[in-house]
Amino acid sequence: MAEIIEIQNLSLPEILPYTITSEIQLKRWFEPDLYGIFIAESPKVIRLALDSGYEPISILAEKKYISGQASDIIRRCGNIKVYTAESEVLTKITGFKLTQGVLCAMRRKKLPELSEILVKCNRIAVLEDVMNQTNVGAVIRSAIAMNFEAVILTPASSDPLYRRAVRVSMGNVFRIPWTYFPDGNYIETLKNYGFSTLAMALHDNTVNIDNPVLKSLDKIAVILGTEGEGLKQSTIESCDFTVKIPMAEGVDSLNVASASAVAFWELSKK
């Protein structure tokens, strides 16, 4: 059974994870032995994390949620500490208003092996140096919605378990396999595993996203770049196809999150 603890200030070291604004510090919480922690926000997101096997450490919740929207979560979490206070007190303690009244500190899990994903999957999304957490979360949400099987990121991309990315993904980051490429030529790695590589970019030599040739490919990796600069020129030149989404006159492009949704939808159709 959970231990309910009412708090009034920052004196308890156990609530430090909820006040830290550095995501990197949370990621390195247990170094060098384990994989760090992250903060899940809102009852829906926390439930999805629990369903996916993430281990809760503690909960921070408004009082009214203890017997309300978070009651089932607290029962599921078993023998952990639940820190609580009125909304006004929690806002002062954490420095921000709680999203839907509940936060949960959870242990990270070991990421799946890259080779395991590349062997098992036929439709994957690749994020090259996408640092905006909102875009990372939105791309992940679109990927799972359109039946893409995994998301792989380059090392410079933002972590999908950062708080904003988790929230924007609506917890779907817990439901789709994801991992990072090591440094080096990841396009070559994809090709070695049988993937046709599709660079989403504005370029002279492009094919439209609805080209039948693309739908006939057995294994595809849709590669998306960061806002502004887009994909590296070397990436575009190394890919099998450069793909564009046709635009109305006067519109250059969509942002990466919107472009990913269109591309995944089109390429998931048979």
Side-chain angles (χ1 to χ4, degrees):
M1 180 179 293
E3 180 182 358
I4 310 297
I5 302 171
E6 187 166 352
I7 55 177
Q8 297 294 335
N9 54 52
L10 296 173
S11 62
L12 291 176
E14 293 91 338
I15 67 170
L16 182 60
Y18 299 105
T19 67
I20 289 175
T21 58
S22 170
E23 300 275 11
I24 294 176
Q25 189 174 348
L26 291 175
K27 188 175 180 179
R28 296 174 176 172
W29 194 263
F30 292 119
E31 280 189 343
D33 299 322
L34 295 172
Y35 308 112
I37 66 177
F38 68 95
I39 304 297
E41 300 181 353
S42 85
K44 179 178 180 179
V45 169
I46 296 169
R47 290 186 191 104
L48 284 173
L50 293 172
D51 291 344
S52 300
Y54 285 89
E55 180 186 349
I57 299 171
S58 65
I59 289 174
L60 181 66
E62 292 181 29
K63 272 188 175 182
K64 65 181 181 180
Y65 284 82
I66 299 296
S67 58
Q69 293 186 45
S71 59
D72 64 307
I73 294 171
I74 293 170
R75 288 194 300 270
R76 288 182 64 179
C77 288
N79 188 27
I80 67 169
K81 293 181 179 179
V82 178
Y83 302 98
T84 188
E86 299 294 349
S87 176
E88 296 78 11
V89 175
L90 291 180
T91 299
K92 291 179 181 179
I93 291 175
T94 62
F96 54 87
K97 185 174 177 60
L98 268 64
T99 301
Q100 296 189 44
V102 189
L103 302 177
C104 184
M106 310 189 90
R107 295 180 185 270
R108 287 173 174 259
K109 298 192 293 186
K110 182 180 179 181
L111 293 178
E113 294 293 333
L114 175 63
S115 58
E116 178 183 350
I117 290 177
L118 297 181
V119 166
K120 290 182 177 180
C121 297
N122 293 317
R123 294 286 186 273
I124 65 171
V126 174
L127 297 183
E128 182 183 275
D129 301 351
V130 177
M131 293 170 280
N132 183 286
Q133 295 178 29
T134 297
N135 286 334
V136 170
V139 171
I140 288 173
R141 186 177 180 183
S142 294
I144 194 166
M146 303 302 166
N147 295 309
F148 269 59
E149 299 161 286
V151 176
I152 308 178
L153 307 94
T154 59
S157 295
S158 187
D159 192 308
L161 288 186
Y162 283 175
R163 188 177 299 188
R164 184 180 296 274
V166 172
R167 183 167 68 245
V168 172
S169 81
M170 292 297 291
N172 284 297
V173 64
F174 307 129
R175 302 177 58 217
I176 191 169
W178 61 272
T179 193
Y180 288 94
F181 288 107
D183 287 322
N185 189 342
Y186 72 87
I187 300 296
E188 182 178 347
T189 300
L190 290 168
K191 291 183 178 183
N192 287 340
Y193 278 87
F195 282 90
S196 297
T197 49
L198 281 57
M200 299 297 299
L202 298 174
H203 202 263
D204 294 335
N205 300 311
T206 60
V207 297
N208 283 352
I209 189 67
D210 60 353
N211 191 306
V213 172
L214 302 180
K215 297 180 184 180
S216 70
L217 301 172
D218 290 332
K219 299 182 70 168
I220 61 171
V222 178
I223 303 168
L224 300 137
T226 189
E227 294 282 6
E229 297 180 4
L231 292 173
K232 298 173 185 175
Q233 185 61 32
S234 59
T235 298
I236 296 172
E237 293 172 354
S238 299
C239 284
D240 298 306
F241 299 91
T242 304
V243 181
K244 69 177 180 180
I245 299 170
M247 298 283 157
E249 186 176 352
V251 180
D252 291 332
S253 63
L254 299 170
N255 69 26
V256 66
S258 299
S260 72
V262 174
F264 299 158
W265 178 78
E266 185 64 46
L267 294 169
S268 67
K269 294 193 300 184
K270 300 296 183 182

